[in-house]
Amino acid sequence: MHLIKIEGQQIQITDLLTSNQNIEAFVRPYREHINKDLDSVLAYSPSTYTKDDDELNTALGNLMCSIVFSEGNPIFNKKTGKNIDAVVLNHGGIRAPISAGAITTRTAYQVMPFENKIVVAGIKGNKVIEIVDFLVKSKRAHPFLGLKILLDQEYNLIEASINGESININKTYYIATSDYLYNSGDNMLFFKPNESVVNLDYKIRNAMIDYFKKVDTINPVRDDRFIRH
């Protein structure tokens, strides 16, 4: 017996297509349980924050970096005895705003739907300078923490520092990012080669949820970490 023909037809998904009630009855309790969990209120947002609120740094992007640092650094410190020096994320990784009102578990899934985990790379100062060059050339609000970059009105670099000090090309700095970016996502090629790498096995989304559970009201702000002067 040999297969000689395959036929198929397109089935339009419209309001006329009825659901299978047996399947619906089976799925319903699971759906209700998941929705109840996703809609549980974790914190409150006094305003709506988006990744496009400003040109070079935004309150939402700054909040994301603060979450990665505050939730990730204790884990990194416990594993290594060292602390995270800076956080670098990507503008495109933020997939939704945080709207004014209740912040729920669903909010975290909307902002960060990916399974990205926090990775900490130990890199020399010359690679940190590559990060600065990348950020300057991109001219967009890639979120970061720990670095400070000042540009002139024509987007030329005036000065850059890390934790308030000049970047030492011979020093090893510990930069937290996502595993996606660590593996050269968004053309971020500066995490390799490195002196060390530690995967915290901790999803950024889960860090967000843990952070929201600890705070009553979020208050992210735009600051002077990346501005034109």
Side-chain angles (χ1 to χ4, degrees), residues 40-188:
S40 59
V41 177
L42 306 178
Y44 175 79
S45 177
S47 301
T48 294
Y49 303 98
T50 81
K51 67 178 183 180
D52 299 312
D53 282 343
D54 213 286
E55 179 189 30
L56 296 177
N57 83 84
T58 67
L60 178 55
N62 295 345
L63 173 65
M64 294 292 291
C65 288
S66 294
I67 290 172
V68 169
F69 179 82
S70 67
E71 303 308 304
N73 192 59
I75 301 171
F76 180 67
N77 181 266
K78 186 174 181 179
K79 286 177 176 286
T80 67
K82 303 180 185 301
N83 292 308
I84 293 169
D85 291 296
V87 179
V88 176
L89 301 175
N90 64 320
H91 183 265
I94 301 173
R95 307 303 286 189
I98 292 180
S99 300
I103 296 174
T104 65
T105 302
R106 191 185 299 277
T107 305
Y109 274 83
Q110 290 169 337
V111 175
M112 178 55 64
F114 311 112
E115 301 300 301
N116 293 341
K117 295 180 180 179
I118 301 172
V119 171
V120 183
I123 58 176
K124 290 293 188 182
N126 63 310
K127 304 292 286 185
V128 176
I129 291 174
E130 288 183 27
I131 294 176
V132 172
D133 290 341
F134 175 90
L135 294 169
V136 171
K137 291 176 182 176
S138 71
K139 299 179 184 177
R140 65 187 313 199
H142 289 301
F144 63 80
L145 173 151
L147 294 165
K148 187 171 182 179
I149 302 172
L150 179 62
L151 308 180
D152 65 20
Q153 287 299 309
E154 285 70 45
Y155 297 92
N156 298 305
L157 178 65
I158 297 176
E159 62 181 5
S161 60
I162 184 167
N163 296 324
E165 299 179 350
S166 298
I167 300 168
N168 183 339
I169 63 172
N170 297 312
K171 182 178 179 179
T172 298
Y173 296 96
Y174 297 97
I175 314 298
T177 188
S178 69
D179 53 355
Y180 168 72
L181 298 179
Y182 174 76
N183 289 309
S184 304
D186 231 352
N187 291 314
M188 294 192 181

